[in-house]
Amino acid sequence: MIEKRKIEVPDYIDSKRPVSVKIMGNIKQINISDKLNKGATILPISKEEYMVKSTGEIKQVTHHARDRTQNLRNLEKTMKNLRDLINTNVTPYNTKRIRFITLTYKENMRDKEKLYTDFKNFNKRFKRYVEKTYNITYEYIVCIEAQGRGAFHIHMITIFSKAPPFIDSTKLAQTWGYGFVNIRALNGNIDNIGAYLTAYLSDLDIEGSTQLTPELLKGDIEEIITEEGKSKHVIKGARLKLLPVGINLYRCSRGIKKPQIIKLSYEDAQKEMEDTGYKKVYESAIKISDTNREFTSTYICMTFKKHINPDFR
């Protein structure tokens, strides 16, 4: 029998213990496991989870999704990877060079192959337009979202080579050609942009949805305050349930950076945080027990941030 539960982070951690440090822009994580790598690189925990022995991270086994439940687990794993990818590439250092573009369809479009083709063609046209008109290039992370009515639309995190001038939304809509578009700058005061945007992509606005099934309403409902200062209610993670099995939640251009992982002792990892001005903002610990295999392990994650004034970079 396998048990996974949250516990208090231990008061004492051996300073010489090997740890991994994941670097993602102005966010760094120290990951600690009490099981060291002695042979195999992964350790099975269950049919659905395994531990990466070199880092101690708990990950989901990737299956070809057989149903909506399995698909949801895979999408939740993908959202975590997406959050790390965004935080690596979108930081307070470069928010002035970033635009958040939304592409929608007039019709209730739910064909994922058409979605991929339409974006590919749009990207070619848009790239030619900004290079010719403004002499700038960009990298991108493109994410798929299901609207409250179930239709697909696209969010494109566009990282330009320099701060772009005003880009006319009318011209952008003509370049897209399928419906309404929106382009806006990001709020430079958000210091965990990956968490902010992945919540935006996964949480369903109750007031704006026409797809509120009894299944969706079983989810966690939370009141949030929008950037405009308005209150609204969302169902946490509910948009993921509107996406079909097998869809690729995100894609990115070749120039997008991946999170960097380095191996240090716990003592050196702490010194790394102190020397580079990162402050701890969150920590958690999970204990995993498998009575059948006589196996136990504790996984500790510590998150650090460097708070940056976007006006000084």
Side-chain angles (χ1 to χ4, degrees), residues 1 15 27 34 36 63 71 95 98 116 141 147 160 164 173 204 208 219 261 306:
M1 179 180 178
S15 63
I27 297 174
D34 61 5
L36 302 181
H63 300 291
N71 184 56
T95 50
I98 292 170
Y116 300 149
I141 303 171
Q147 292 177 300
F160 288 96
L204 183 64
I261 297 178
K306 186 174 185 178

Side-chain angles (χ1 to χ4, degrees), residues 81-89 250 252 256-258:
N81 294 336
L82 174 60
R83 182 176 66 245
D84 291 349
L85 193 68
I86 293 173
N87 281 332
T88 302
N89 292 273
Y250 71 90
C252 60
I256 291 296
K257 300 174 183 177
K258 305 299 189 295

Side-chain angles (χ1 to χ4, degrees), residues 15 62 76-77 89 95-96 111 124 135 140 171 192 207 210 219 234 242 246 249 266 297 302 307:
S15 63
T62 301
E76 288 171 346
K77 171 190 172 184
N89 292 273
T95 50
K96 289 184 177 180
D111 183 337
K124 289 179 180 178
N135 192 30
Y140 67 83
K171 176 61 179 177
N192 190 331
E207 287 82 2
T210 59
V234 300
L242 299 176
L249 185 62
Y266 180 56
S297 182
M302 300 177 178
H307 296 279

Side-chain angles (χ1 to χ4, degrees), residues 117-164:
T117 300
D118 289 346
F119 172 75
K120 182 178 179 180
N121 292 333
F122 164 79
N123 185 51
K124 289 179 180 178
R125 294 192 295 267
F126 186 54
K127 184 173 293 187
R128 286 196 299 266
Y129 170 71
V130 297
E131 286 179 351
K132 181 179 179 180
T133 308
Y134 305 114
N135 192 30
I136 54 177
T137 59
Y138 61 82
E139 302 294 339
Y140 67 83
I141 303 171
V142 60
C143 315
I144 309 306
E145 180 190 347
Q147 292 177 300
R149 59 182 174 140
F152 293 153
H153 63 199
I154 296 170
H155 293 294
M156 184 178 180
I157 302 167
T158 315
I159 307 169
F160 288 96
S161 54
K162 60 183 179 181

Side-chain angles (χ1 to χ4, degrees), residues 238-274:
R239 286 191 189 274
L240 299 181
K241 297 180 181 179
L242 299 176
L243 292 169
V245 171
I247 193 168
N248 291 326
L249 185 62
Y250 71 90
R251 296 182 176 190
C252 60
S253 57
R254 292 182 180 179
I256 291 296
K257 300 174 183 177
K258 305 299 189 295
Q260 180 186 1
I261 297 178
I262 59 176
K263 307 294 178 60
L264 298 170
S265 68
Y266 180 56
E267 180 181 38
D268 288 342
Q270 288 183 305
K271 188 174 186 303
E272 162 77 13
M273 301 301 166
E274 183 178 345

